[in-house]
Amino acid sequence: QKEVEQDPGPLSVPEGAIVSLNCTYSNSAFQYFMWYRQYSRKGPELLMYTYSSGNKEDGRFTAQVDKSSKYISLFIRDSQPSDSATYLCASHTGTASKLTFGTGTRLQVTL
Amino acid sequence: NAGVTQTPKFRVLKTGQSMTLLCAQDMNHEYMYWYRQDPGMGLRLIHYSVGEGTTAKGEVPDGYNVSRLKKQNFLLGLESAAPSQTSVYFCASRVRGGSLTGELFFGEGSRLTVL
């Protein structure tokens, strides 16, 4: 079992929809949680990060962590075609030098 | 503003051939990483380095070797390529300590096909 599990999709939504992307993790030591966005044929780029449980909002994006259920979520409001990409969740303990990635969810926002 | 640069971007090899992927970063980062990305498998860590002259094994190190002779460069070698090593390879770097966000800066990837 991978330490971070993520539904690979693909997920297709119409423009303007609210998108919910989710991950689960198994390592209780994880303290930092990140979402990376990867456009086709490009390297991943950090989109958002959160520490421990709670919500963090940045424009149309909200990252949410529930440590009690080991659940990580990314919500995208008013989705745009430019949001079409693969979204990868990642976690680390804060002391480890390595991040653990989910497999990524491919999102397609259609006109 | 180069960031992380990978060369070559594309390469086709025959089984048994050897090659080296070069990663260069100009951000003075201590930590550097090599990942491979395959459909349905996500990013898997091959090897990483926490400083010049040091390397460590990641999740899938077999068949690969690395060297970090200079802080800005991290080389990934395939001594005898196999079709199972067909993949997209990403190099990444990050600063040590300081920021706890875990932000990795990635290169644009190197697409390797082994026939």
Side-chain angles (χ1 to χ4, degrees):
Chain A
Q1 181 190 6
K2 290 177 69 71
E3 285 190 302
V4 179
E5 299 276 3
Q6 187 174 6
D7 186 335
L11 179 63
S12 183
V13 301
E15 183 179 9
I18 296 174
V19 176
S20 173
L21 303 169
N22 307 294
C23 292
T24 58
Y25 66 95
S26 57
N27 188 342
S28 298
F30 285 154
Q31 295 287 337
Y32 295 86
F33 305 91
M34 286 134 282
W35 285 95
Y36 282 78
R37 180 173 61 194
Q38 183 179 20
Y39 291 114
S40 180
R41 297 186 175 269
K42 296 290 186 181
E45 294 178 309
L46 182 66
L47 182 62
M48 294 189 70
Y49 78 93
T50 55
Y51 169 69
S52 195
S53 283
N55 292 1
K56 186 171 184 178
E57 189 173 321
D58 184 1
R60 296 184 295 110
F61 298 89
T62 300
Q64 190 174 81
V65 177
D66 182 346
K67 291 194 72 180
S68 63
S69 59
K70 296 188 175 66
Y71 207 75
I72 312 165
S73 300
L74 178 70
F75 299 97
I76 307 174
R77 292 181 298 280
D78 188 24
S79 55
Q80 303 294 310
S82 59
D83 295 329
S84 298
T86 296
Y87 291 81
L88 302 103
C89 58
S91 303
H92 73 94
T93 62
T95 56
S97 54
K98 300 177 289 181
L99 273 67
T100 301
F101 284 89
T103 53
T105 300
R106 190 157 65 88
L107 172 67
Q108 182 73 39
V109 181
T110 58
L111 291 169
Chain B
N1 191 15
V4 178
T5 303
Q6 293 181 228
T7 53
K9 289 185 169 45
F10 303 93
R11 184 75 187 267
V12 178
L13 287 177
K14 294 181 179 178
T15 298
Q17 287 185 319
S18 63
M19 75 159 297
T20 299
L21 297 176
L22 170 65
C23 177
Q25 53 95 2
D26 61 2
M27 297 173 283
N28 202 35
H29 285 171
E30 291 287 346
Y31 290 1
M32 295 187 74
Y33 305 81
W34 275 109
Y35 289 90
R36 60 179 289 174
Q37 188 174 38
D38 303 288
M41 303 295 287
L43 283 165
R44 291 184 292 169
L45 183 63
I46 305 171
H47 286 281
Y48 66 103
S49 168
V50 298
E52 182 178 321
T54 72
T55 62
K57 293 180 180 180
E59 184 184 351
V60 288
D62 294 342
Y64 305 95
N65 56 74
V66 288
S67 64
R68 183 101 181 267
L69 298 179
K70 293 183 179 181
K71 185 177 183 179
Q72 63 268 34
N73 295 338
F74 195 27
L75 279 64
L76 178 71
L78 285 73
E79 289 187 348
S80 179
S84 60
Q85 294 178 305
T86 293
S87 187
V88 181
Y89 292 86
F90 286 99
C91 177
S93 70
R94 62 171 280 207
V95 64
R96 173 168 61 189
S99 167
L100 292 177
T101 65
E103 181 172 10
L104 292 177
F105 293 83
F106 284 85
E108 295 212 330
S110 297
R111 294 179 173 272
L112 175 66
T113 301
V114 183
L115 301 175

